[in-house]
Amino acid sequence: MSGGGAWQGNIKARLYERVRERGFDSLTAFAEAHPAVPLHILADELGNDVAAVQLLSGLLYEAELNQKVTRFVRDVLVRELAEGLPNGWPSILNDSSRFEVAMALGRWSAYTPETHEERVRQVRDMLLASPPPAGWRPLGPDDELLRTLLPDEGA
């Protein structure tokens, strides 16, 4: 977890310095090299003075620049599902598993940019109304089901 140092100094410069030290030219390239890894773990890999929300913000910024916000939204869902449902989608939605699904989908919704809120709400409702196969665990933002639910801009 990041300490208080995460909010000191030039945050953006620190993020890019850390990913370049690891051989990447962007936050997106760094994140793509670590698919389905929760954001807080990625942030910790960059140092104890980097917060997950800072990484999330930088990734959204790059996604907006590259007109790949929908892919970013799918990527965040993959990371939230990996953290909240490490064994994949539950076979039965009982009280306990429904809570775990709701938490993962709720965090995803909270991290969604305004431009995609309605689409995310629709996808969330579809996943709950017609759940994916038991054990489904997308390994990246290009998962076939996710691309069906949230197709790229212009697709």
Side-chain angles (χ1 to χ4, degrees), residues 82-116:
E83 182 171 7
L85 304 172
N87 297 318
W89 197 270
S91 56
I92 298 171
L93 283 178
N94 57 26
D95 287 346
S96 176
S97 62
R98 186 177 303 277
F99 178 76
E100 292 167 354
V101 167
M103 289 297 293
L105 294 177
R107 282 191 307 269
W108 175 51
S109 296
Y111 298 147
T112 298
E114 283 184 33
T115 57
H116 285 64

Side-chain angles (χ1 to χ4, degrees), residues 7 13 20 24 26 41 44 46 51-52 63 70 74 76 84 94 104 114 133 143 146-147 151:
W7 304 103
R20 281 193 298 275
F24 300 98
S26 68
I41 294 173
D44 286 349
L46 293 176
T70 300
R74 290 193 312 258
V76 173
N94 57 26
E114 283 184 33
D143 175 86
L146 290 183
R147 288 181 62 96

Side-chain angles (χ1 to χ4, degrees), residues 76-87:
V76 173
L77 175 57
V78 169
R79 295 175 192 284
E80 291 305 326
L81 291 175
E83 182 171 7
L85 304 172
N87 297 318

Side-chain angles (χ1 to χ4, degrees), residues 1 19 37 45 54 67 74 85 105 129 137 139 145 152:
M1 284 303 227
V19 297
V37 174
E45 187 174 320
Q54 294 166 340
Q67 297 180 335
R74 290 193 312 258
L85 304 172
L105 294 177
R137 185 174 181 264
L139 300 178
L145 175 58
D152 289 319

Side-chain angles (χ1 to χ4, degrees), residues 108-129:
W108 175 51
S109 296
Y111 298 147
T112 298
E114 283 184 33
T115 57
H116 285 64
E117 285 177 352
E118 182 56 33
R119 290 175 72 190
V120 164
R121 197 174 359 265
Q122 292 168 356
V123 169
R124 191 181 61 216
D125 291 347
M126 285 189 288
L127 286 171
L128 292 172

